């Protein structure tokens, strides 16, 4: 089965077929070849036979992890840069690739990887990762392996969790909601008790959290049959999620401002907002968002549609990729493997950026027995994440133009919030924009 744009099939099919957008449904683990072995004798961009690799990554404190590598690998030095994060970094990677001046290594969120594979931005590193891939379970590997070829080393998994202000829940006599019905009732009760406070906000600026909620509800936005794609962003599970949040917004139960804005940061810091639906990586961000709240947050399982159901979605989760522009793919793959599977490196990542490791052994490291620095009041933080991680559900496959889909979210839902319009109509606009772009790119869409 091949899911390649029609216009590329004649001249480009041979080059593209190895990794193109059979996406996650056709993934398999492993590859052939040998793991890279770095050393001082390799020719490179530095002096004295040293290799200097450029690494694009937006994680706070990742420089401390890179410093650990550099101290132990004098022959392969890594130079860190943070040009952007998330979708913006993907756009910069594409632009840099077109100019033939991309980095050697880059952090990429799982949903963005298929598009970067299809555009030839990231390299097939199968020959350098035979040993590395044995350190992951198949469910984790499938996000980075396409048609049996490895295009990235998984860094973390990011199940959606409910982060809540334990002190304010106690102050207002609130119980942590276990179902979405409970969540709605709690949001309404809080407004009655504290009119200046909100349980949470609806964020129309970042689609990550909403996508995770759709996944939890059972949505499948992309699928394939033969050479044809199906796009179903406005499917029944996603409409259920949109309708639920529309009621909360229309009823005035939750705030409407975007996350990661100065206003939102202030509200998170001063107690206006009592919860944050976020990925397991949130502790690494809260220190910068709400510094006055250290030790006041706790984490709980995401509310369920059916009581007792542990299913959750994901928000983010990333891989370390080697770009096709790198003149040193073997050394770059060695660093990517070390970063995400070496016990000392993974331990340092947990300490510095609060990842929940993707590598199987990483999830049993002693460092996970302690709380993240921002959550000193919850020593079982990672134990709570571990409970739900096996039930974290992504889409079975991501589409080839996720950036367009996500832009459709920010455009459509922002307009709906401003005008009091329909969230379902916003989903329809996402669907239309995604279909139009895929057809423009030459994909067959049924």
């Amino acid at each position: 089965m091949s899911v390649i744009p029609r216009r590329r099939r004649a001249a480009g099919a041979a080059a593209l077929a190895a990794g193109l957008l059979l996406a996650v449904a056709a993934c398999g683990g492993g590859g052939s070849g040998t793991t890279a072995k770095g050393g001082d004798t390799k020719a490179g961009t530095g002096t004295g036979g040293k290799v200097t690799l450029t690494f694009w990554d937006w994680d706070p404190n990742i420089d401390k992890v890179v410093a650990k590598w550099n101290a132990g690998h004098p022959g392969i030095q890594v130079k860190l840069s943070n040009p952007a994060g998330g979708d913006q970094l993907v756009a910069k990677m594409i632009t840099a690739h077109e100019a033939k001046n991309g980095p050697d290594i880059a952090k990429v969120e799982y949903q963005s990887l298929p598009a970067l594979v299809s555009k030839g931005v990231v390299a097939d590193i199968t020959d350098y990762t035979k040993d590395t891939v044995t350190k992951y379970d198949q469910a984790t590997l499938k996000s980075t392996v396409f048609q049996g070829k490895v295009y990235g080393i998984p860094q973390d998994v990011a199940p959606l969790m409910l982060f809540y202000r334990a002190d304010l829940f106690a102050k207002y006599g609130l119980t942590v909601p276990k179902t979405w019905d409970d969540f709605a009732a709690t949001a309404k009760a809080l407004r009655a008790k504290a009119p200046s406070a909100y349980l949470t906000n609806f964020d129309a600026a970042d689609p990550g959290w909403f996508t995770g909620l759709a996944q939890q509800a059972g949505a499948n936005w992309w699928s394939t049959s033969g050479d044809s794609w199906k796009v179903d962003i406005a499917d029944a599970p996603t409409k259920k999620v949109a309708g639920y949040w529309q009621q909360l917004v229309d009823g005035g139960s939750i705030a409407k401002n975007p996350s990661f804005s100065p206003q939102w940061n202030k509200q998170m810091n001063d107690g206006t907002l009592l919860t944050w639906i976020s990925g397991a990586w949130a502790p690494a961000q809260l220190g910068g968002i709400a510094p006055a709240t250290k030790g006041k947050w706790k984490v709980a399982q995401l509310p369920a549609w059916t009581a007792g159901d542990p299913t959750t979605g994901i928000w983010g989760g990333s891989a370390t990729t080697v770009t096709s522009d790198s003149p040193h793919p073997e050394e770059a793959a060695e660093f990517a493997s070390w970063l995400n599977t070496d016990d000392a490196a993974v331990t340092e990542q947990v300490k510095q950026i609060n990842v929940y490791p993707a590598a199987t052994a990483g999830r049993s490291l002693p460092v996970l027995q302690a709380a993240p620095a921002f959550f000193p009041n919850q020593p079982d933080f990672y134990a709570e994440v571990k409970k739900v991680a096996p039930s974290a559900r992504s889409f079975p496959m991501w589409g080839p133009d996720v950036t367009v889909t996500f832009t459709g979210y920010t455009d459509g839902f922002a307009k709906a919030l401003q005008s009091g319009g329909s969230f379902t109509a916003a989903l329809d606009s996402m669907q239309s924009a995604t279909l139009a772009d895929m057809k423009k790119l030459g994909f067959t869409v049924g």
Side-chain angles (χ1 to χ4, degrees), residues 11 18 69 112 114 120 131 163 173 252 283 338 351 353 361 419 435:
W69 164 273
S112 300
D131 293 337
F163 295 86
W338 172 89
K351 288 180 180 179
I353 58 179
S419 66
L435 281 173

Side-chain angles (χ1 to χ4, degrees), residues 138-227:
Q138 292 301 310
T140 303
L141 271 179
K142 72 179 185 180
S143 295
T144 59
V145 179
F146 306 98
Q147 292 184 326
K149 297 184 182 296
V150 180
Y151 288 90
I153 307 301
Q155 178 187 29
D156 65 325
V157 292
L160 274 183
M161 309 288 292
L162 180 68
F163 295 86
Y164 67 97
R165 284 285 299 272
D167 59 328
L168 298 182
F169 266 64
K171 176 181 178 179
Y172 298 125
L174 304 177
T175 301
V176 179
K178 295 184 181 300
T179 68
W180 286 115
D181 286 342
D182 293 343
F183 189 91
T186 303
K188 186 175 181 180
L190 174 62
R191 296 289 290 146
K193 293 181 178 184
S196 63
Y198 295 91
L199 190 59
T200 195
N201 63 305
F202 186 91
D203 182 9
D206 193 318
W209 75 289
F210 183 88
T211 303
L213 294 178
Q215 291 167 347
Q216 182 200 31
N220 291 313
W221 288 1
W222 292 275
S223 59
T224 60
S225 177
D227 289 338

Side-chain angles (χ1 to χ4, degrees), residues 228-249:
S228 180
W229 283 85
K230 179 181 179 182
V231 180
D232 197 8
I233 293 167
D235 61 4
T238 310
K239 285 182 178 178
K240 178 172 74 171
V241 173
Y244 173 86
W245 289 95
Q246 177 112 55
Q247 288 184 338
L248 291 180
V249 168

Side-chain angles (χ1 to χ4, degrees), residues 30-38 42 124-135 150 153 322 328-335 337:
S32 60
T34 58
T35 304
K37 301 293 182 184
K42 294 184 181 295
D124 170 9
I125 54 174
T126 308
D127 288 344
Y128 312 124
T129 56
K130 181 180 179 181
D131 293 337
T132 302
V133 297
T134 65
K135 299 178 182 181
V150 180
I153 307 301
V322 177
H328 308 290
E330 184 176 355
E331 293 89 340
E334 183 183 357
F335 170 76
S337 296

